[in-house]
Amino acid sequence: MILRAIALAAGRGGAVGLSQFPEFSQQYLLRLGGAVDGLARVIRQFDRDAAKVSFSRGTEAKRCLRC
């Protein structure tokens, strides 16, 4: 009888948790997309800054890592 009650409670808890998964995954993907957009802006600015001093992206990155 107790085992049945525990199984029922676990089943309900699992159902509630799994019912939230689609919304959670959608929010996660939106957040990840925003992070990618932010990183793309940083890369564009980095490329502009590297071009100002006539360096390629790789050369500028190596120079920044040595600092």
Side-chain angles (χ1 to χ4, degrees):
M1 186 68 169
I2 287 181
L3 186 58
R4 189 175 188 182
I6 292 172
L8 182 62
R12 285 184 179 174
V16 168
L18 289 175
S19 72
Q20 298 302 312
F21 180 75
E23 183 64 26
F24 171 79
S25 62
Q26 180 184 13
Q27 292 294 323
Y28 181 77
L29 289 174
L30 285 172
R31 184 173 181 208
L32 189 60
V36 169
D37 291 342
L39 183 58
R41 285 191 301 271
V42 169
I43 290 171
R44 282 193 303 271
Q45 183 63 46
F46 184 83
D47 288 342
R48 282 193 296 269
D49 291 344
K52 285 180 185 177
V53 291
S54 301
F55 286 154
S56 68
R57 180 188 293 175
T59 304
E60 182 68 7
K62 287 177 187 174
R63 189 183 71 77
C64 287
L65 289 174
R66 283 191 300 242
C67 294

